[in-house]
Each structure stands twice: as C-alpha cells, then as structure tokens.
C-alpha cells in the first residue's frame, strides 16, 4: 500500500461513538493513505480514521 507523510495545518479532533478520541495537532507529521474520492485520507495512528485532506499541507510519498 502506498502511504504519505503529511503535516497537519490545523488542530483536528474526532470522537467515536464509543468515546475513543483521535486528536491531530497542528505542526505534527502523520502517515496517511492516498487521497480518497470523498476528499478524505486515512490517518494511521493509534486509531485508523478518515479525516479531511484539507487539514494537511500537501503529501510527501513515504512508501510505495
């Protein structure tokens, strides 16, 4: 699977129905999936979750 490194440009918080929380911090680098058709990408961290691509400043290929 192709992955990318991306820098978060705004703080973003996602809370699941069960209370699990994914917090992305401005200025931090995250490994993600490629862009998806719905304008999201999946962040690979403690939880894998789709987030809006626009919270990141571009994508640099990490793995092919």
């Amino acid at each position: 699977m192709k992955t990318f490194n991306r820098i978060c440009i705004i703080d973003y918080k996602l809370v699941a129905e069960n209370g699990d929380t994914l917090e992305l911090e401005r200025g931090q680098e995250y490994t993600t999936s490629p862009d998806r058709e719905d304008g999201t990408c999946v962040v690979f961290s403690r939880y894998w979750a789709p987030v809006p691509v626009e919270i990141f400043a571009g994508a640099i290929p990490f793995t092919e």
Side-chain angles (χ1 to χ4, degrees):
M1 173 196 266
K2 191 171 196 174
T3 60
F4 295 87
N5 285 336
R6 301 177 195 248
I7 301 293
C8 186
I9 58 172
I10 61 170
D11 291 333
Y12 185 82
K13 184 176 183 179
L14 182 64
V15 180
E17 290 180 12
N18 67 358
D20 289 342
T21 303
L22 173 66
E23 292 187 65
L24 305 179
E25 297 179 8
R26 182 179 186 265
Q28 296 298 309
E29 184 176 74
Y30 296 93
T31 302
T32 73
S33 71
D35 294 4
R36 297 169 19 158
E37 290 182 17
D38 64 356
T40 65
C41 63
V42 175
V43 172
F44 304 119
S45 66
R46 183 173 177 190
Y47 303 108
W48 291 18
V51 298
V53 170
E54 67 255 9
I55 70 167
F56 297 105
I60 298 171
F62 182 61
T63 61
E64 296 274 337

